[in-house]
Amino acid sequence: MTALKLDRAEVRRGARAVLAEAGFSVSAGEVVGVVGANGAGKTTLLRAALGLAHLESGTAELSGRDVRRLSDPERARLVGYLPQERHVGWNMSAWRVASLGAFRLPPAVARDRAMAALARVGLSGLEDRGVLEMSGGERARVLLARLLAAEAPLLVADEPVAGLDPDAQLLTLDLFREEADRGAAVVLTLHDLGLAARACDRLVVLAKGRVAADAPPAQALSPEILAEAFGLEGRLQTTSDGLVLTARRRRL
Amino acid sequence: MRPLVLNLLLVGLILALTVAGLLLGETALTHAQIRQALHDPASGAHEVLFAIRLPRTAAALVVGAALGLAGAVMQGLLRNPLADPGVLGVSGGAGLGAALAISLGLAATPGAVEGAALGAAVLVGAGLTWLAARFREPETLILFGVALSAFLGALTSLVFNFSPSPVTLAEVFAWLLGSVANRDWGDIGRELPALIVGAGLCAYASRGLVMLTLGEETAALSGLPMTRLRAAAVAGASLLTGASVAMAGIVGFVGLAAPHLVRAAAGGDPGRVLLPSALAGACLLCAADIAARVIPTDLELKLGVVTALFGAPLFALIAWRAARSWRG
């Protein structure tokens, strides 16, 4: 079942096309990574798919329905979104922030979901701490817990591991894999190509607003695509520990 | 602290301040006079207590609550601890309306100045509500608000400029400085519909304020009708502010400080801060009005002057403590 489908999408910022003819899809049980250099259009691709960015042309569908025709509650039932922005306006407790993922449920149920999600992200014992009293990494995990507490059929996360320590990065990617295993469709934007290659079933590579590749990691990160999309000279190698990327900057 | 305990404490404080508001004033009442006031409706003491001080105290409580609530809604909506009820220009609009009405010689017509103030606030509020529905970034609203405040301030200065006489000018100034002296039940009743609708809109918007804590995009995808909730927040806060200015002139700092006083105890949640903020606002303004009455001066202090004189250092103290806690 296709949870998200973006087709021939064009998004403009003024006269400049940020996305052109861009499309991809995600199915239930799948973890798809969106990678690309800074400014390639990764966040815009997610925002376009979710109906947050205006499409000049093309279509965006969630569970087979045009995202523009979905009501706010219908869209919220179909997708949970973790934006790159991690600013929290006020010093609310960790459990209260996490419970906002399930705010439509009775308060006691939402609280239980929030507590369970905080335990999954490794924040047991910090449920009552104010999020503005936490480190950036802890706050990022609280926001991840909010996403998990929603138990949405499609999870979209923009740079979910940025700024996290290596253990928290791996924990985060493991949790997204668990969500896919329970049947959710997962889309992540990532900067670490090695992590992306290991954590995702498929990679969508963006270069200057266009999809340069949409394939399993080994094909998506071919030497040609690495050169075109990232300006790197390198290749993805299969080792006993999984896929490893070796790369260096191209000599000009 | 549990929200219920906090609210009960504040209600207790309001009751205590109401009693103080009845007992304290320019005319000192003896125990015998107070007893007489309670038993003899024809006595002068009864007149002082129930026809002068009670409506005045009630007006201070109502205006304080409205400003506290409007301030909390504005801070939540704009995710900015510096926001206050007047930040988007509603107070400026109401002030302009009142200044125009006074300079046109309508001060003697009962309810005319108040009506002009509320009417102008509703007009400004309607424009802001339209903007809030179109633009979701708080920065955009703040920028429009700053521009609008400056423009309305310039128009008020223009009214001063063309003021027909120094007496009128003094009248406008006195009105703008804020006061609840000589307010009667009729004054409160006139603003009550706007206050009730405004408070209802703010209560409706509270769910959206909580979600806005996580940013515009998270809120937009939460399933809540954010455009409607944002518009309700602006419309509600505008009505509350407009009705407050209409009843008591421009009173600063209460709407800014009240949410800060209770925010930590309310758990930081911008939805749950609304009720305690309204209660705290009522306490602050009632206390300020009592101070205006009892501080011995030849001319009674204006409410806006008292709130600014005491509010500014208090607010600086809050900011100091907050900065220390942020630094750890």
Side-chain angles (χ1 to χ4, degrees):
Chain A
M1 158 107 189
T2 306
L4 179 157
K5 187 177 175 203
L6 187 70
D7 192 31
R8 302 169 71 85
E10 183 183 341
V11 175
R12 304 190 77 82
R13 193 168 294 146
R16 189 169 63 92
V18 189
L19 280 186
E21 296 281 306
F24 79 111
S25 65
V26 194
S27 299
E30 200 180 18
V31 178
V32 172
V34 177
V35 294
N38 287 330
K42 301 185 291 296
T43 299
T44 306
L45 187 78
L46 299 188
R47 296 182 74 247
L50 298 175
L52 292 173
H54 174 71
L55 291 183
E56 296 292 333
S57 61
T59 56
E61 292 178 357
L62 295 177
S63 294
R65 297 178 59 191
D66 187 334
V67 73
R68 283 171 295 192
R69 295 185 189 281
L70 290 170
S71 69
D72 289 328
E74 281 173 335
R75 185 171 58 169
R77 268 194 291 278
L78 294 176
V79 59
Y81 179 48
L82 182 65
Q84 192 176 354
E85 171 65 55
R86 289 173 186 164
H87 176 73
V88 180
W90 306 104
N91 193 23
M92 287 158 68
S93 63
W95 78 263
R96 179 78 181 120
V97 170
S99 73
L100 292 179
F103 77 98
R104 286 188 184 280
L105 300 174
V109 181
R111 189 186 161 100
D112 288 347
R113 281 234 196 141
M115 292 301 199
L118 286 170
R120 286 180 73 193
V121 300
L123 289 180
S124 292
L126 296 183
E127 295 92 344
D128 290 321
R129 183 169 295 179
V131 285
L132 298 187
E133 293 155 21
M134 291 180 152
S135 70
E138 287 171 335
R139 196 178 313 144
R141 284 196 263 172
V142 173
L143 295 174
L144 174 62
R146 182 200 63 82
L147 178 71
L148 297 175
E151 296 186 2
L154 167 65
L155 301 180
V156 178
D158 196 1
E159 305 277 2
V161 301
L164 298 182
D165 63 39
D167 179 63
Q169 290 190 12
L170 294 175
L171 169 71
T172 301
L173 294 174
D174 284 349
L175 287 170
F176 280 119
R177 174 57 65 191
E178 283 175 23
E179 289 301 298
D181 290 345
R182 75 160 172 83
V186 177
V187 188
L188 314 169
T189 66
L190 296 162
H191 264 302
D192 185 325
L193 298 179
L195 267 185
R198 269 174 282 154
C200 301
D201 301 311
R202 194 152 52 82
L203 293 181
V204 175
V205 183
L206 279 181
K208 294 179 184 160
R210 293 177 183 275
V211 175
D214 181 351
Q219 285 98 60
L221 297 180
S222 66
E224 296 75 30
I225 296 291
L226 284 172
E228 180 196 338
F230 299 96
L232 294 174
E233 213 168 71
R235 63 197 181 97
L236 206 58
Q237 293 175 309
T238 307
T239 71
S240 55
D241 290 328
L243 294 166
V244 173
L245 180 79
T246 52
R248 63 181 179 193
R249 295 184 70 203
R250 283 171 83 197
R251 276 189 291 266
L252 295 173
Chain B
M1 193 184 300
R2 291 172 63 86
L4 182 65
V5 178
L6 173 67
N7 291 333
L8 285 176
L9 276 175
L10 288 167
V11 168
L13 192 56
I14 284 175
L15 290 176
L17 284 165
T18 305
V19 173
L22 283 176
L23 298 181
L24 299 171
E26 207 178 341
T27 314
L29 295 176
T30 63
H31 287 297
Q33 282 174 312
I34 292 166
R35 263 198 304 278
Q36 187 194 19
L38 294 175
H39 295 110
D40 179 8
S43 65
H46 184 91
E47 172 81 8
V48 170
L49 239 58
F50 295 106
I52 298 174
R53 288 186 189 168
L54 188 60
R56 177 179 182 155
T57 304
L61 290 171
V62 167
V63 170
L67 291 175
L69 179 54
V73 167
M74 276 299 151
Q75 290 181 7
L77 177 75
L78 302 174
R79 274 167 289 152
N80 191 323
L82 293 176
D84 76 355
V87 70
L88 299 183
V90 179
S91 303
L96 172 65
L100 264 177
I102 295 171
S103 66
L104 290 172
L106 297 174
T109 312
V113 177
E114 292 85 347
L118 182 61
V122 167
L123 274 181
V124 172
L128 290 169
T129 305
W130 179 77
L131 285 173
R134 284 183 72 86
F135 301 100
R136 60 182 194 195
E137 298 80 12
E139 294 80 6
T140 311
L141 260 187
I142 293 173
L143 287 174
F144 275 121
V146 168
L148 193 59
S149 292
F151 183 64
L152 293 168
L155 288 180
T156 307
S157 302
L158 199 63
V159 173
F160 290 154
N161 205 150
F162 291 124
S163 189
S165 75
V167 179
T168 312
L169 203 58
E171 230 178 313
V172 175
F173 258 127
W175 196 87
L176 288 179
L177 287 177
S179 174
V180 285
N182 305 319
R183 296 300 180 272
D184 58 29
W185 296 113
D187 293 323
I188 299 175
R190 256 197 301 277
E191 308 304 331
L192 217 50
L195 290 168
I196 291 170
V197 174
L201 286 170
C202 290
Y204 168 69
S206 69
R207 291 183 306 162
L209 300 182
V210 181
M211 207 52 87
L212 278 174
T213 301
L214 303 181
E216 294 292 338
E217 301 225 306
T218 303
L221 281 174
S222 67
L224 289 175
M226 287 312 298
T227 304
R228 216 183 305 156
L229 291 169
R230 253 196 315 272
V234 171
S238 299
L239 276 174
L240 290 172
T241 309
S244 302
V245 178
M247 209 191 300
I250 296 178
V251 179
F253 280 103
V254 172
L256 179 64
H260 288 279
L261 285 175
V262 296
R263 179 162 286 121
D269 183 326
R272 288 182 190 174
V273 97
L274 298 188
L275 178 58
S277 183
L279 297 173
C283 291
L284 283 177
L285 205 62
C286 191
D289 182 48
I290 293 170
R293 283 188 246 168
V294 300
I295 293 173
T297 47
D298 289 340
L299 280 175
E300 185 177 291
L301 284 173
K302 288 290 185 181
L303 198 51
V305 178
V306 178
T307 56
L309 279 176
F310 287 95
L314 173 74
F315 192 72
L317 187 70
I318 296 170
W320 176 266
R321 288 182 54 182
R324 275 169 58 114
S325 74
W326 289 333
R327 275 208 310 255

